Amino acid sequence: MQKPCLPRPSCVVHGRAVSDPAPAKSDEDLTPGLYLVATPIGNLGDITRRAVDILSRCDGVACEDTRVTGKLLKHLGISKPMWRYDDHSEHRDRSRLVDSMRTRAVALVSDAGTPMISDPGYRLVNDCREQGIPVTSLPGPCAAVLGLTLSGLPNDRFMFAGFLPPKDKARRETLAQLGQIDATLIFYETAPRLLKSLAAIEEVLPKREIAVARELTKLHEECRRGFSAGLMAYYDAHPPKGEIVLLIGPPEAVQANEADADDMLREAMATLKPSQAAGQVAKATGLDRKVLYARAMDLKSE
Ligand code: SAM
């Protein structure tokens, strides 16, 4: 019997992707290759039917930690050989794994979420592509995307930047550099470091809206919005637990264009002095107060 093709991005003919295989029967062999399988980040109900199907039919599972993945497979009633994989594995081990995919279907999972998003797999996928081994990716949970959608921060442009550096100076420098980008910034964070990161944001990007998305998909899921000073006070009083996505809204200054600022200054100057109006608009937009004051004086003399 001919084996089904691995699905790959393809053109769509009459509403159906031409390279999509028909849903395979569970007793059919999978095409050899690498299958990237996203797994739940807390709620086991988030496993997809495709993930269960591929995990059930693959020849083995490459994973970060065989104990963690073993528990997931057991929960799903699946028994498969497991191989520990991380991107720092010896080149020889990776080559062997990639070679094996010429004849075997291997699923790659991380401990939780989407492989390669702050997790191993990048080198494996690269090597597979170089060697002409088919690779396909099954979508599923990813904490960064969940945090973004839940936060309500602008999502038309966003940048995921993994974990902030653990050292204070490097953390501040990274925030100062990425803070220039006109996009919502998404970081992975740990509970013990949250206060330090908020303090660094308060120092480097004090006027930005922040969201702390914690324990996503779990019993104590929460998403708290505010500015760094307020969130620092809150988490100082309520030390955070669990897993965290930290999001920083885009610079307001980039959103408020000059015409908007002029309108706001005119409106404010109806009741306030130019210096007070400049202060109010600076607070609302994040634009420089001195620049706004100069503009307010121009507008006044017009
Ligand atoms: N590959 C995973 C993904 O797709 O989300 C991320 C793995 S990374 C090693 C682990 C980090 O993801 C955690 O430190 C935390 O910042 C974030 N994370 C994972 N699960 C989370 C959850 N349920 N709620 C909030 N953040 C989570």
Side-chain angles (χ1 to χ4, degrees):
M1 186 194 304
Q2 202 186 357
K3 289 181 174 177
C5 302
L6 276 182
R8 49 180 69 100
S10 59
C11 54
V12 171
V13 180
H14 302 308
R16 179 170 166 263
V18 288
S19 67
D20 275 353
K25 295 193 193 102
S26 58
D27 55 352
E28 275 178 357
D29 289 342
L30 285 177
T31 300
L34 175 61
Y35 294 73
L36 308 169
V37 180
T39 56
I41 59 168
N43 187 329
L44 288 172
D46 292 332
I47 190 87
T48 67
R49 286 164 68 171
R50 245 180 111 202
V52 176
D53 180 49
I54 296 297
L55 291 171
S56 311
R57 293 163 59 213
C58 67
D59 296 303
V61 181
C63 56
E64 282 185 270
D65 184 330
T66 52
R67 284 164 306 178
V68 175
T69 299
K71 275 191 202 155
L72 175 70
L73 293 183
K74 193 167 173 212
H75 168 81
L76 299 172
I78 296 170
S79 167
K80 288 286 164 183
M82 287 181 283
W83 308 291
R84 216 187 137 268
Y85 175 78
D86 69 57
D87 278 338
H88 307 293
S89 300
E90 289 281 321
H91 181 68
R92 218 173 349 125
D93 294 342
R94 194 166 66 247
S95 300
R96 238 184 276 141
L97 184 58
V98 171
D99 266 349
S100 77
M101 292 180 208
R102 296 185 192 286
T103 53
R104 290 192 298 191
V106 173
L108 175 72
V109 301
S110 50
D111 284 352
T114 300
M116 282 184 289
I117 306 301
S118 288
D119 269 337
Y122 167 74
R123 288 171 190 236
L124 195 59
V125 171
N126 243 330
D127 285 5
C128 284
R129 293 218 161 270
E130 271 175 19
Q131 307 278 330
I133 306 275
V135 181
T136 193
S137 186
L138 279 65
C142 174
V145 175
L146 254 82
L148 179 67
T149 51
L150 201 58
S151 71
L153 289 170
N155 55 29
D156 50 341
R157 280 198 220 178
F158 58 89
M159 175 167 180
F160 171 67
F163 288 90
L164 279 165
K167 298 226 165 102
D168 292 346
K169 184 165 175 273
R171 189 192 290 120
R172 281 198 304 271
E173 283 171 0
T174 302
L175 284 168
Q177 190 188 31
L178 296 179
Q180 306 299 314
I181 299 169
D182 179 18
T184 290
L185 304 176
I186 310 174
F187 299 99
Y188 283 160
E189 190 49 276
T190 63
R193 280 200 215 145
L194 177 66
L195 274 171
K196 280 193 171 180
S197 293
L198 290 172
I201 295 169
E202 173 65 7
E203 202 180 320
V204 181
L205 306 168
K207 289 186 182 136
R208 304 281 276 268
E209 272 219 271
I210 312 288
V212 177
R214 206 173 59 79
E215 293 290 86
L216 297 170
T217 77
K218 303 183 199 175
L219 187 62
H220 298 293
E221 173 177 292
E222 72 163 7
C223 185
R224 200 163 279 276
R225 273 270 291 269
F227 291 89
S228 40
L231 289 169
M232 274 164 73
Y234 177 83
Y235 285 112
D236 202 28
H238 307 88
K241 287 188 190 146
E243 299 191 281
I244 292 169
V245 182
L246 176 62
L247 301 104
I248 305 178
E252 290 285 336
V254 181
Q255 288 179 348
N257 62 30
E258 280 176 18
D260 289 339
D262 280 3
D263 288 346
M264 292 167 86
L265 282 172
R266 276 196 201 94
E267 202 181 315
M269 281 196 298
T271 53
L272 299 173
K273 291 183 197 161
S275 61
Q276 292 168 322
Q280 183 175 301
V281 177
K283 218 173 185 180
T285 61
L287 291 171
D288 187 87
R289 187 189 176 121
K290 280 188 198 147
V291 173
L292 287 166
Y293 177 67
R295 185 68 193 141
M297 294 307 282
D298 286 350
L299 290 173
K300 197 178 168 203
S301 62
E302 266 174 17

